[in-house]
Amino acid sequence: MSVTRSRREFFGVAAATLAGASLFPKRVFGQSAAGTPALLGGSPVHTGGWPAWPEWRQSWEPSILQVLRSGRWYRGSGGEQVPQFEAAYAKLLGARRCLATASGTTALIVGMHALDVDAGDEVIVSPFTFIASYNAILMMKALPVLADTDPATLTVDSASIASRITDRTRAIMPVHIYGMPCDMDPVLAIAKKHRVAVIEDACQAWLAEYHGRMCGTIGDLGCFSFQNSKHLPSGEGGAITGDSEDVLDRCASFHDCGRPYGGFKGTRPNFTRGGNFRMQHVQAAMLLQQLDKLVQDTARRREHADRLTASLKEIPGIQPVRLPENSRAVWHLYPFRYDAEKFQGLPRDRFIRAMRAEGIPCSTGYQEQYYDGLLDEAINSRGYKRLFSAQRLKDYRDSFQALTGNKQVCETTVAVTQNLLLAAPGDIDHIPAAIRKIQTHGAALARA
Ligand SMILES: Cc1ncc(COP(=O)(O)O)c(C=O)c1O
């Protein structure tokens, strides 16, 4: 089995494995961290599984049935759930407006359109992100220009953003990856200096906070995902938040086939450019039910992440992530950096296999996906060759080599998923216990 498993695959497997398991499985006592590693035939540190995700509650069912029985399923049918969700989510985040969308990807596309990102423009983005951030920019026929990653924070290195600005740059897209806030002040300063927009990819960062503001309400627009694995899931779904009535009116219009909306009348009597990126009422009903839970789960994840960080920072070769001053993460994944040398040369992939054998599901972070062919496919296409000069596309391709911080992050990150942080505190302690056990036997595990 590959150690590089996407969150979606992971949750699929976890859900199947954990079907029928209780939400908070019993603690397993008596597993010594000094014992034989499970990969070498010993007993695992953790047994009994982890909280399953997503979680469904029977008490939510009447609100879903109400939508189904009403027949008012699509946004334009007169149902109330989507607008209700938009108002509640905007209030929760402290944003003036919220527009619900079909997904996080479509939120990014709609948001970029409203901020006037057009074919042939450039958008500066974090490379250490889910591929949808790149893809959304490609959907605009714009160039996803990759800034470097700060190995200490796993988020964008703002110093590298400035060096990526060109006369084509239209927007900067910082990504609050794993729910960890980017250092937004320098990003905003660069954007202001060069008069470009900031669209936050907050698709993994519901309720993350930076300098007293919620992620997704700091730039011109913020985009969220409510896909199945997310902390606020509805299968698929997304949202855009922002304070500008004009920009949100443009978003609302573009997401609804280009119908005039609010103060945005478009350029034609009826329709302007647009698509169908609407959320359904049944999705909104699911989300409305989970808002209180999101707040409670977030507090629990934070408390348990602090507990985990306190233990992990005592282990040589394990480096928890540094957050910007005065910020709070929400931990969609809980990542740390792994130094194989401090584990007697045990390679990271082998470490991950050993952790899984100990009952701790974990995986690598994102790979150097700019070498995977997606971006080559784009820049070698007829369209991109028409939109950008051959020299620009060559320089663009060459620029990937400068992503040294990101390379380091891709090679050394290990992450556990958020559902582990919802377990009982004693179960959380199994994570450092498993790591210490593996460290003691690093050489034997490397040989096995
Ligand atoms: C960082 C990031 N951006 C964008 C997206 C796209 O969201 P969706 O899958 O809802 O389209 C995701 C979803 O996983 C994401 O994690």
Side-chain angles (χ1 to χ4, degrees):
M1 184 172 58
S2 161
V3 292
T4 313
R5 184 188 273 164
S6 73
R7 277 188 324 287
R8 289 166 198 211
E9 288 169 319
F10 168 76
F11 281 114
V13 173
T17 315
L18 300 175
S22 65
L23 181 61
F24 297 122
K26 269 200 255 144
R27 256 194 84 176
V28 180
F29 293 94
Q31 308 289 1
S32 162
T36 308
L39 205 57
L40 301 179
S43 309
V45 169
H46 181 83
T47 56
W50 295 93
W53 193 265
E55 192 194 359
W56 181 251
R57 292 184 184 163
Q58 246 182 346
S59 60
W60 298 341
E61 290 179 7
S63 71
I64 309 299
L65 279 176
Q66 190 199 330
V67 179
L68 297 182
R69 288 178 179 153
S70 74
R72 291 194 288 268
W73 297 343
Y74 101 101
R75 181 169 191 144
S77 60
E80 289 160 2
Q81 290 78 6
V82 174
Q84 274 173 7
F85 170 71
E86 290 171 341
Y89 196 62
K91 188 168 173 213
L92 184 62
L93 265 66
R96 185 180 295 171
R97 289 264 296 268
C98 168
L99 175 77
T101 59
S103 64
T105 306
T106 53
L108 290 167
I109 291 170
V110 171
M112 280 188 281
H113 177 83
L115 294 171
D116 200 22
V117 173
D118 207 348
D121 286 339
E122 299 184 4
V123 177
I124 300 176
V125 65
S126 305
F128 194 72
T129 181
F130 181 54
I131 202 69
S133 317
Y134 296 29
N135 261 330
I137 298 168
L138 294 175
M139 296 291 278
M140 311 305 292
K141 298 289 178 213
L143 199 61
V145 173
L146 307 173
D148 205 1
T149 304
D150 177 348
T153 64
L154 309 197
T155 56
V156 70
D157 173 357
S158 50
S160 83
I161 295 180
S163 69
R164 307 297 199 270
I165 299 268
T166 72
D167 56 2
R168 297 269 193 116
T169 308
R170 195 83 198 168
I172 303 171
M173 186 188 289
V175 184
H176 305 295
I177 203 65
Y178 301 158
M180 304 180 307
C182 297
D183 194 4
M184 289 298 291
D185 282 350
V187 176
L188 296 176
I190 296 165
K192 190 170 174 201
K193 179 171 171 200
H194 296 277
R195 297 183 186 194
V196 299
V198 175
I199 179 162
E200 299 173 69
D201 183 335
C203 282
Q204 300 185 5
W206 328 258
L207 305 186
E209 288 172 40
Y210 174 85
H211 294 192
R213 295 176 71 179
M214 295 280 185
C215 289
T217 70
I218 302 165
D220 295 282
L221 290 176
C223 296
F224 295 86
S225 168
F226 307 128
Q227 178 270 338
N228 230 76
S229 68
K230 302 304 195 311
H231 295 193
L232 181 61
S234 55
E236 301 286 2
I240 306 172
T241 46
D243 283 345
S244 161
E245 299 285 358
D246 173 52
V247 174
L248 265 293
D249 283 350
R250 286 169 189 272
C251 288
S253 168
F254 187 69
H255 110 296
D256 187 19
C257 306
R259 289 188 169 86
Y261 192 91
F264 181 67
K265 307 292 179 215
T267 51
R268 318 298 303 169
N270 297 315
F271 292 97
T272 184
R273 280 183 296 162
N276 178 354
F277 303 115
R278 297 182 298 251
M279 176 180 277
Q280 300 192 67
H281 288 302
V282 74
Q283 292 168 284
M286 290 171 77
L287 294 168
L288 278 164
Q289 293 298 327
Q290 296 177 77
L291 287 177
D292 288 346
K293 180 175 183 294
L294 172 70
V295 173
Q296 289 150 19
D297 286 352
T298 300
R300 187 175 178 95
R301 287 189 194 95
R302 281 188 174 135
E303 191 187 322
H304 288 179
D306 288 350
R307 183 183 180 101
L308 189 52
T309 303
S311 307
L312 295 188
K313 67 181 188 200
E314 301 302 326
I315 304 179
I318 298 294
Q319 191 189 328
V321 169
R322 177 164 58 73
L323 297 173
E325 292 284 298
N326 190 13
S327 72
R328 299 171 84 199
V330 295
W331 310 112
H332 182 47
L333 272 72
Y334 178 97
F336 54 85
R337 302 231 347 267
Y338 172 76
D339 179 356
E341 280 193 11
K342 299 282 188 327
F343 283 71
Q344 303 170 46
L346 180 70
R348 179 181 59 161
D349 281 4
R350 194 81 188 149
F351 168 80
I352 289 173
R353 281 178 210 280
M355 286 286 281
R356 288 180 181 173
E358 297 298 342
I360 315 291
C362 58
S363 60
T364 64
Y366 300 103
Q367 306 304 300
E368 286 192 279
Q369 48 202 357
Y370 31 89
Y371 291 130
D372 283 354
L374 167 75
L375 295 178
D376 287 323
E377 181 192 299
I379 63 179
N380 288 317
S381 69
R382 274 183 296 122
Y384 275 79
K385 284 182 180 165
R386 274 202 292 260
L387 290 165
F388 296 92
S389 71
Q391 187 61 48
R392 176 65 186 118
L393 293 180
K394 181 182 178 308
D395 291 346
Y396 174 70
R397 185 63 171 72
D398 291 347
S399 73
F400 300 163
Q401 288 163 28
L403 299 170
T404 50
N406 193 63
K407 178 176 164 57
Q408 215 180 317
V409 166
C410 290
E411 287 172 353
T412 57
T413 300
V414 175
V416 299
T417 44
Q418 54 89 10
N419 60 319
L420 273 61
L421 297 177
L422 294 175
D427 289 335
I428 306 292
D429 295 343
H430 289 162
I431 302 170
I435 296 175
R436 286 188 186 280
K437 184 179 176 188
I438 291 166
Q439 188 163 49
T440 309
H441 299 276
L445 283 162
R447 279 193 309 271

